[in-house]
Amino acid sequence: MSAIIFIVLLMFNIAIQAFLPKFLKESEAFGVYIPDTHLKDPRLMKMKNRYTQLVLLCGVVVLVLFIGGVLIVRPQEQQIVFWGLAAQIGALVLPMGLYAKNHIALANWKKDEKWTAGQVERKVVDLQFREQLKLLPNMYFILPMLLTFGLSVYGLTQYDLLPDQLPTHWGPNGEADAFTEKSWLSVSSLPFLTLVLQGMLLFFNGAMKQSGAKIQVRNKKRSREQQLAFRKYTSWLLFVVTITVTLLMGYLQLTIIFPETMSTSVTLASTISFLVIILGSVLFYAIKVGQSGTRITVSHPDESLEGVIDQDDDRYWKFGMFYVNKNDPSIMVEKRFGIGWTINFGHKTSWISLLLLIGSIVFVLTLQ
């Protein structure tokens, strides 16, 4: 069963990585801003297609090696997990290498050929944008947190009845495969980790509202509607993840409090359902919405503005992936290469949030 799970994850990973350029804005490729005058540059089209072909080819090789290794060697369960993780990393390393190569080449073309020379850069500011956002209220994310907190308190009230060894990890087959000594901290570690994840998703939902919209100067109406839809769908995706995580973690916490109710088949079914819902939601989000909502059809004609382009903010994107702008009040910004959001490393709140997240995860791991 673990081999099948890793094969599904690997196929999903390869498909998303290979077709990533199809889900992004035309005005951004491999982390580089592309002005309107070069959107149809045949070299750029060739570069994107070549990237997709190479990632697919190498991904299939990794997939075949993994499946062949499992069928021929028939390794133990733990070896399959190790091989599966190695295959996932291998399927990620190649796209990262290709991204780096293409990013450098594209940035050099743009610089050497002066793609933005002689054109006026403008930035559109829409003061009504935030008022028209349709994000889910924060209460949708706070209620699951209250449920998790209640489960945590209930677990502590049952402390004396709990077994001396508590499960801390469950394998792909649904069986607990790691345990720790009972203590007040170990009883609380799973709810605490869940609260951290829920808090992070709540933070993302709130930060999205504060993030400035990047509206294209030649397509104001179209890009504005797509941006509004993109944030609405992102908010719903965060909510789906929050509910799914809450249900899975809540079930595992209940099996700790009531070990006699533990069922391998139910745990396995819960884990598979969790993966299906998460992967299905992300796939729907990528295909239906795309980065910045560019896959959502909106019928507004382009505006004719000769010699005018969007503001080139490449200088704020380090290696096209890390956004660092001290003058931007946004804590989160849309990714340039990838689907979703990243943080503004020039904002101190981003660093505080990142440190809190890493510190919380390290704290939980030290309890196990």
Side-chain angles (χ1 to χ4, degrees), residues 7-116:
I7 288 171
V8 172
L9 290 175
L10 197 53
M11 292 173 67
F12 183 83
N13 181 12
I14 293 168
I16 286 290
Q17 295 294 332
F19 293 102
L20 193 53
K22 312 289 184 187
F23 302 135
L24 306 181
K25 289 188 286 189
E26 282 188 322
S27 58
E28 292 169 1
F30 300 105
V32 178
Y33 164 64
I34 310 296
D36 297 342
T37 50
H38 288 74
L39 291 181
K40 304 302 179 186
D41 190 319
R43 294 173 300 174
L44 186 57
M45 300 297 112
K46 185 178 179 181
M47 179 182 280
K48 289 181 179 179
N49 291 334
R50 185 68 173 163
Y51 172 87
T52 299
Q53 292 166 1
L54 283 174
V55 173
L56 275 180
L57 177 63
C58 294
V60 169
V61 171
V62 172
L63 186 62
V64 169
L65 287 175
F66 177 71
I67 295 175
V70 170
L71 291 177
I72 296 171
V73 181
R74 297 189 178 280
Q76 298 294 321
E77 194 75 11
Q78 295 224 343
Q79 285 179 296
I80 293 178
V81 172
F82 177 76
W83 288 11
L85 292 175
Q88 295 285 351
I89 293 172
L92 281 173
V93 168
L94 176 75
M96 289 176 64
L98 281 175
Y99 165 84
K101 177 177 178 292
N102 290 338
H103 172 79
I104 294 171
L106 200 50
N108 286 336
W109 288 351
K110 181 180 173 181
K111 180 180 178 182
D112 295 342
E113 299 173 10
K114 301 178 180 176
W115 287 3
T116 59

Side-chain angles (χ1 to χ4, degrees), residues 278-292:
I278 295 295
L279 295 183
S281 300
V282 172
L283 196 59
F284 172 83
Y285 180 73
I287 295 175
K288 169 71 178 178
V289 184
Q291 184 65 355
S292 299

Side-chain angles (χ1 to χ4, degrees), residues 181-193:
E181 294 287 337
K182 181 177 72 173
S183 69
W184 293 104
L185 290 177
S186 61
V187 172
S188 306
S189 63
L190 188 58
F192 179 76
L193 180 60

Side-chain angles (χ1 to χ4, degrees), residues 253-270:
Q253 178 68 3
L254 285 174
T255 63
I256 292 175
I257 300 173
F258 304 106
E260 67 277 6
T261 64
M262 172 68 186
S263 166
T264 300
S265 59
V266 174
T267 306
L268 182 59
S270 301

Side-chain angles (χ1 to χ4, degrees), residues 193-244:
L193 180 60
T194 309
L195 281 170
V196 171
L197 292 174
Q198 292 169 326
M200 184 176 65
L201 294 167
L202 168 65
F203 172 77
F204 287 163
N205 191 63
M208 230 179 357
K209 190 172 184 178
Q210 304 303 322
S211 175
K214 192 169 182 180
I215 299 174
Q216 296 175 334
V217 66
R218 293 194 184 196
N219 311 302
K220 294 188 190 73
K221 293 182 179 178
R222 183 173 64 193
S223 62
R224 185 177 188 279
E225 287 192 32
Q226 289 175 332
Q227 288 260 336
L228 287 170
F230 174 62
R231 297 184 189 217
K232 181 184 74 173
Y233 279 105
T234 303
S235 184
W236 274 100
L237 177 64
L238 294 176
F239 179 65
V240 169
V241 175
T242 299
I243 294 299
T244 312

Side-chain angles (χ1 to χ4, degrees), residues 33 36 120-122 215-218 308-312:
Y33 164 64
D36 297 342
V120 178
E121 296 181 20
R122 284 186 185 171
I215 299 174
Q216 296 175 334
V217 66
R218 293 194 184 196
V308 177
I309 60 174
D310 294 313
Q311 186 181 51
D312 185 354

Side-chain angles (χ1 to χ4, degrees), residues 327-355:
N327 298 319
D328 188 346
S330 302
I331 299 173
M332 291 177 56
V333 293
E334 296 173 24
K335 284 183 179 178
R336 273 207 164 180
F337 195 75
I339 302 174
W341 299 72
T342 185
I343 61 174
N344 176 9
F345 287 94
H347 200 299
K348 62 180 180 182
T349 305
S350 302
W351 282 103
I352 294 172
S353 305
L354 191 61
L355 291 174

